[in-house]
Amino acid sequence: MQVFEELESEVRSYCRSWPTVFEGGSGSWMWDEDGNRYLDFFAGAGALNYGHTHPVLKRALLDYIEGDGVIHSLDMSTTAKAEMLRTFDDVVLQPRGLDYKVQFPGPTGTNAVEAALKLARKVKGREQILSFTNAFHGMTLGALSVTGNSFKRNGAGVPLAHTSAFPFCNYLEEGSSIDLLQALLGDSGSGLDRPAAVIVETVQGEGGVNVASFTWLKRLAELCTDHDMLLIVDDIQMGVGRTGPFFSFEPAGIQPDIVTLSKSIGGYGLPMALTLLKPELDVWEPGEHNGTFRGNNASFVTATASFREFWSDDTLATSVAEHGDLVHSTLVDLASSHLEAGADTRGRGLVQGLVFEDPSITKAVCREAFDNGLLLETSGPDSEVVKLMPPLTISTEELQQGLDILTRSVDTVLAKHRAGVAK
Ligand SMILES: Cc1ncc(COP(=O)(O)O)c(C=O)c1O
């Protein structure tokens, strides 16, 4: 660990929650240099939906590298990119009746968001973007300006302007934020400048596993149409099957104008990001938004293999729904046996949260789970939510094993907490 303390910036964070040196991973497991094995309920913050080193994706990547396939190409045309685009259209977009042009920004989520915001402002010729409480969209300035967390926002060091934050679904009462928006947008005296776009997550992953109802999302989409605003769905963490379907917005019956994807879209944990735009919005001039690593061909290859392997039928989506139910019912039982700690649950599909009133309990549970071989992240503005995000490919036995460790960890931490309080 010494080398990291000596040479790496203080900005590092996950390594502080999990103080060991990881060496490898396979499926739902990681192991460290000392041979300790960890069940991974973190899945690269959503970048490893198909688990670690999936054999089918690995084979495709190794074959490509062995054949001296192009690795780096900016936005030149390559065989790997052609196959990725065609497969994405055939396997993902067309069966869902979706018609999007694909933009490759730099290969991170925040890049896809920057491109979406720029494009919306260019198309509508307006500055204002609406975002939501507890949203997280990335760490570059545009993405930060639509992010809620004040600690992250303060890091910008400059004013974050031309955006307005509104209450997310259930921040107040469920539909009230849409009623408020509707009233303000319809009132020429409200002081709200007409926005170019609204950016929203269907489930706020970083912001506390806050779930938007399908009705709320549908009403939001209607509001966008009525007031000539573009709807941007940031599906960077919740897309690629995390909530069940490929796109998290599918069950809401909406078709966003712009969709951002990253994290698991590259398939193998390799960097890639996409900004999907309705064809009529494609008003970019050549090179108006670019990035040296937007043509990461290794990611094109593993993405193509992942579409074929996991999205040619609904096996994966069905398994996510079933496993999501198992996680949810376990958490409901756990929460109801710890009502004294203000325990509660949230989630959809294979992103589920266990909330405690006191964030120190949440942190202690994650630490106890780590000591027992389970990787769990916290989420929410005060890290008050234990966030469960196992790989979508996890087996039922592995899932149960992780849930058993979580249950034991919660019991241990709360017993210690009660003993401490009683003293
Ligand atoms: C919804 C959402 N948008 C954007 C981002 C930013 O992605 P990246 O960290 O790859 O820039 C994240 C990252 O957690 C995210 O969850």
Side-chain angles (χ1 to χ4, degrees):
M1 298 300 280
Q2 181 88 24
V3 63
F4 306 106
E5 273 156 38
E6 236 175 74
L7 300 177
E8 191 181 350
S9 160
E10 289 302 314
V11 79
R12 65 195 191 280
S13 66
Y14 286 117
C15 56
R16 299 176 196 269
S17 315
W18 301 318
T20 190
V21 182
F22 292 101
E23 193 182 65
S26 175
S28 303
W29 296 88
M30 293 185 81
W31 54 88
D32 67 15
E33 285 182 343
D34 298 324
N36 300 310
R37 282 163 58 81
Y38 300 88
L39 195 45
D40 186 359
F41 273 26
F42 168 62
L48 291 165
N49 281 5
Y50 312 123
H52 296 264
T53 58
H54 192 281
V56 172
L57 311 184
K58 178 162 55 179
R59 188 71 261 154
L61 181 61
L62 290 174
D63 287 349
Y64 187 73
I65 290 172
E66 266 164 21
D68 286 343
V70 172
I71 292 294
H72 180 266
S73 60
L74 293 114
D75 66 2
M76 290 183 268
S77 300
T78 65
T79 310
K81 183 157 75 172
E83 275 198 47
M84 183 260 150
L85 282 169
R86 184 60 65 209
T87 313
F88 186 59
D89 197 46
D90 288 350
V91 175
V92 176
L93 295 182
Q94 282 192 34
R96 291 166 178 78
L98 296 170
D99 185 14
Y100 289 118
K101 296 278 283 289
V102 178
Q103 176 180 358
F104 298 99
T108 60
T110 201
N111 246 292
V113 170
E114 293 294 336
L117 301 180
K118 273 192 197 175
L119 183 68
R121 287 179 168 129
K122 180 170 164 132
V123 167
K124 293 296 176 192
R126 299 179 216 133
E127 291 169 354
Q128 196 68 13
I129 307 279
L130 297 189
S131 61
F132 291 98
T133 47
N134 288 309
F136 182 78
H137 296 292
M139 298 300 282
T140 49
L141 290 183
L144 267 184
S145 74
V146 285
T147 287
N149 187 297
S150 57
F151 172 63
K152 311 274 189 217
R153 289 176 68 88
N154 289 339
V158 294
L160 297 169
H162 311 306
T163 57
S164 307
F166 278 83
F168 189 66
C169 183
N170 290 320
Y171 185 81
L172 304 171
E173 278 159 41
E174 181 179 330
S176 62
S177 56
I178 303 287
D179 295 339
L180 173 67
L181 261 176
Q182 199 158 20
L184 294 177
L185 288 165
D187 177 2
S188 60
S190 70
L192 178 66
D193 293 331
R194 168 102 69 98
V198 175
I199 183 163
V200 68
E201 299 152 272
T202 61
V203 179
Q204 296 181 322
E206 300 302 301
V209 194
N210 306 311
V211 180
S213 71
F214 297 134
T215 312
W216 188 87
L217 289 167
K218 224 178 165 60
R219 285 191 66 201
L220 182 65
E222 282 161 11
L223 201 65
C224 286
T225 309
D226 292 349
H227 292 275
D228 186 34
M229 308 180 295
L230 297 181
L231 177 63
I232 305 168
V233 170
D234 180 345
D235 232 6
I236 285 166
Q237 189 162 148
M238 294 305 143
V240 196
R242 178 51 59 191
T243 66
F246 186 91
F247 293 105
S248 68
F249 54 81
E250 289 174 47
I254 59 172
Q255 291 204 354
D257 299 292
I258 301 177
V259 181
T260 55
L261 290 172
S262 185
K263 294 198 187 267
S264 280
I265 190 69
Y268 199 66
L270 292 175
M272 180 158 107
L274 309 181
T275 305
L276 308 180
L277 34 132
K278 286 198 169 159
E280 63 273 21
L281 302 179
D282 196 8
V283 298
W284 288 117
E285 297 290 332
E288 196 176 355
H289 185 88
N290 60 28
T292 305
F293 284 106
R294 67 197 185 278
N296 182 351
N297 287 261
S299 305
F300 295 154
V301 168
T302 49
T304 304
S306 72
F307 303 146
R308 291 189 181 131
E309 180 69 15
F310 297 109
W311 297 103
S312 298
D313 62 28
D314 60 6
T315 310
L316 184 70
T318 307
S319 147
V320 171
E322 286 167 6
H323 281 159
D325 288 346
L326 172 64
V327 178
H328 179 68
S329 61
T330 306
L331 294 189
V332 168
D333 288 348
L334 199 49
S336 59
S337 54
H338 292 295
L339 292 176
E340 81 289 354
D344 201 359
T345 63
R346 309 166 174 169
R348 177 175 285 151
L350 272 179
V351 52
Q352 297 281 339
L354 178 64
V355 192
F356 292 102
E357 231 162 46
D358 176 354
S360 73
I361 293 179
T362 307
K363 286 176 204 149
V365 166
C366 292
R367 185 53 199 252
E368 179 72 19
F370 171 73
D371 291 343
N372 287 287
L374 177 68
L375 302 181
L376 279 168
E377 189 188 9
T378 64
S379 161
D382 299 312
S383 301
E384 71 280 21
V385 186
V386 179
K387 182 181 176 196
L388 288 82
M389 268 204 335
L392 308 184
T393 48
I394 195 166
S395 69
T396 308
E397 294 69 33
E398 289 168 332
L399 195 58
Q400 193 56 62
Q401 195 176 339
L403 292 171
D404 291 346
I405 298 176
L406 172 66
T407 304
R408 282 203 308 275
S409 303
V410 170
D411 290 344
T412 306
V413 166
L414 287 178
K416 279 189 198 157
H417 185 74
R418 274 193 302 271
V421 169
K423 262 187 216 160

